[in-house]
Amino acid sequence: MLLVAGQILLAQETWEGEEGMTVVVTDERGQPVPGVLIVLLYGDEGVRGPSLTTGDDGVAEVENLAAGEWQVDLRRESFMLLTSYLKIDAGKEPEVAFSSRQRTGAYWAPLNAVYLPLGADLDAGVAAGTKSLKRAQRDQAREEKRLAKAAQREERRFRRGRSARVVDPVVPRRTSSDRVAAAPAPATGPALSRNPNLLSFGACRECREGEWSVTTSVRAPAGEGGTCSAPDWNSFADRLVAPWEGTRRQFAGGLLEEGDFGALPLLESEAVDALEESYPWLGRESSCSAIAVLLPAGSRYVGFRYQAGERATVADCLLGEDCQIGQARFVAEPQVISRDGFILVGSAFENQSPERARVGRLTVYFAPPAGWLPPN
């Protein structure tokens, strides 16, 4: 409180200002979704701002927001959690930097959100938002085609320069004498779900058309809890670019798995030693454990799922809350970092139990680039 000329005034919250916005929430059919809880967090420290709920028309308006960077969480039962990061500037349309969906339980219905200035034409604004999404998808498809052609050119140059090599092929090759017709690449999530032999390779029953999933886990021994934070994944990704280029892999899987599986064992031992020297947390069992997935270059990140438990029994974890099992949590939203040759999705899992070990599990959903198939 502030005392001015004998009067008590309420201090202004750090998130308060003169800006505002309209949030329009729809389902995948474009129908409005009422009753969506919208929670706003302001700035780098995530100061809790106002909470509001969409009306019958799927619309909610909020005023008195400060200019700057905001995190907007949308929650409604039977839908995925949708988190958007956006910037609000005076007199400008809210600029969305990044959005991510988190699957919880058996729910996989997506929410879509469009952020508009107060007083904007809703029909035109929602149409423009949908058009921007379609444009982004077209741009992504063009980029995937460009990367596929670049890989083909590199492959031809490699064959001209050397006589033989050993690789995991990205696309199956067949000789002219092979008269068995090649099976077409699976194209849709539901089709993949009907073939149980493919499930272990990343297809999932909850995936939408053209999407895949990959899961990794980490064991965190008993700990006291404390100041667990996510590693500097940006710096790590920068250091990984050069050694990863030598693998020539379109890999999808955990950074480090038990039994020498995962991405790191694909590197030269000298490169792994150098990474472990620079990043002591790499592969180390700790109550605050790093966990990450690598995706093929050109993939489109869709969303994630956090789970935790003991041994094979796991339950869901929500952002900013303890996992259902208790005394365990994921410290933040996954960081999605794109580099030449791969996309890294990384986080950190903390076990706060002083007595029992916990297992943290990260599932990442993605749409692979054109022509990609999982390794045999």
Side-chain angles (χ1 to χ4, degrees), residues 274-288:
L275 287 171
E276 290 179 343
E277 183 177 351
S278 300
Y279 305 96
W281 46 263
L282 191 60
R284 182 184 65 187
E285 275 203 353
S286 168
S287 61
C288 179

Side-chain angles (χ1 to χ4, degrees), residues 100-121:
S100 178
R101 294 185 174 98
Q102 180 183 5
R103 177 180 175 235
T104 58
Y107 304 130
W108 191 236
L111 287 173
N112 298 308
V114 174
Y115 303 94
L116 304 170
L118 288 174
D121 184 325

Side-chain angles (χ1 to χ4, degrees), residues 101-181:
R101 294 185 174 98
Q102 180 183 5
R103 177 180 175 235
T104 58
Y107 304 130
W108 191 236
L111 287 173
N112 298 308
V114 174
Y115 303 94
L116 304 170
L118 288 174
D121 184 325
L122 295 187
D123 291 337
V126 171
T130 305
K131 182 178 180 181
S132 298
L133 174 62
K134 292 180 178 178
R135 184 183 299 115
Q137 291 172 339
R138 288 197 299 270
D139 292 343
Q140 177 71 27
R142 283 195 292 267
E143 177 65 11
E144 291 172 358
K145 186 179 295 186
R146 185 191 68 80
L147 290 173
K149 289 183 178 179
Q152 292 172 359
R153 289 195 298 269
E154 181 65 18
E155 178 72 17
R156 289 194 293 270
R157 286 196 293 268
F158 197 97
R159 285 202 300 266
R160 286 197 296 267
R162 299 191 182 182
S163 58
R165 62 172 176 154
V166 178
V167 297
D168 283 341
V170 174
V171 179
R173 298 181 178 84
R174 296 185 180 272
T175 64
S176 58
S177 61
D178 189 351
R179 298 186 180 182
V180 179

